Amino acid sequence: MKKYLVIGNPIEHSLSPKLHNYWIKINNIDAIYDKKKLNENELEHLILDIKNKKIAGINVTVPFKKAIIPYLDRMSHEAEKTQSVNTIFLENNNLIGHNTDINGFQLAIKKLN
């Protein structure tokens, strides 16, 4: 079973696990999505868990969107441009940081227009 997380501090209020686990279940995916409250000094250990494939990917929220960058191997164009990462995954043994906020914001603006 693959494990995914959203990390932040605070994180108790996050509805991400409820939303993502709903979609995981209805799509019959062998995975679980959870939330984890971290302190900045715990980021390196979390990164090792991804590299060791204990965690398949994470979503990042405040206050770690910038603090996580030094631990990454590469960043998408969007993450580079904003210097903000909200999604991390392993690809060819490289940790990739991405920012999905831009696309989500653009889509919302287009729908309002």
Side-chain angles (χ1 to χ4, degrees), residues 65 69 72 74-87 89 96-106:
K65 289 185 177 196
I69 292 173
L72 304 174
R74 287 193 347 239
M75 292 195 300
S76 69
H77 172 74
E78 295 84 356
E80 281 280 350
K81 194 167 186 161
T82 60
Q83 286 297 293
S84 178
V85 169
N86 72 349
T87 304
F89 57 94
I96 312 298
H98 181 56
N99 186 305
T100 62
D101 292 333
I102 295 169
N103 290 338
F105 181 72
Q106 286 175 335

Side-chain angles (χ1 to χ4, degrees), residues 35-51:
K35 58 186 167 187
K36 186 169 186 173
K37 181 178 177 181
L38 292 178
N39 293 309
E40 193 165 338
N41 65 342
E42 297 172 287
L43 291 176
E44 187 172 4
H45 180 72
L46 177 74
I47 291 298
L48 291 174
D49 282 348
I50 299 169
K51 285 188 174 188

Side-chain angles (χ1 to χ4, degrees), residues 11-27:
I11 197 66
E12 295 81 11
H13 65 283
S14 176
L15 298 176
S16 290
K18 188 173 187 174
L19 173 71
H20 291 294
N21 283 316
Y22 170 80
W23 288 108
I24 287 169
K25 182 178 179 179
I26 67 167
N27 288 289

